[in-house]
Amino acid sequence: MTAHGRALVAIAQDPDARMRELAEVVGVTERTVQAIVADLEAAGYVAHTRVGRRNRYTVHLDRPFRHPAQDGHRVGPLLDLLGPPAAEHE
């Protein structure tokens, strides 16, 4: 799985994770995970809401994958296969 995929799974499992925590889970630097999260937000897979001084992420489960090889497949079922999330997500 790509780093983007691992980040998406990590965010779905812990929507309140900090960049440092996501970087550890994904196995990349904090700077790289910031770029990945920005990519995921720009593509519409993830959105964030400010909660105090932190961000809370929401994964858009109905979003389709972009690659033609996954045409017709949505994000939600993949996340369901990879394990139950630690908290609810949309």
Side-chain angles (χ1 to χ4, degrees):
M1 182 178 285
T2 67
H4 282 67
R6 290 191 309 270
L8 187 61
V9 170
I11 291 168
Q13 291 177 340
D14 185 2
D16 295 313
R18 295 175 187 234
M19 290 292 167
R20 177 181 42 232
E21 297 161 345
L22 291 173
E24 287 177 25
V25 171
V26 176
V28 296
T29 65
E30 196 170 331
R31 183 178 214 109
T32 299
V33 88
Q34 288 172 342
I36 290 170
V37 171
D39 288 348
L40 291 172
E41 285 192 83
Y45 292 106
V46 174
H48 78 274
T49 309
R50 203 73 176 150
V51 179
R53 295 178 60 196
R54 297 183 66 170
N55 288 325
R56 176 167 181 74
Y57 296 94
T58 302
V59 176
H60 300 287
L61 301 176
D62 288 334
R63 190 87 177 121
F65 286 103
R66 295 187 302 185
H67 196 279
Q70 287 82 37
D71 189 37
H73 293 283
R74 307 265 176 216
V75 170
L78 173 68
L79 294 174
D80 288 342
L81 283 174
L82 295 175
E88 264 189 53
H89 55 268
E90 294 179 4

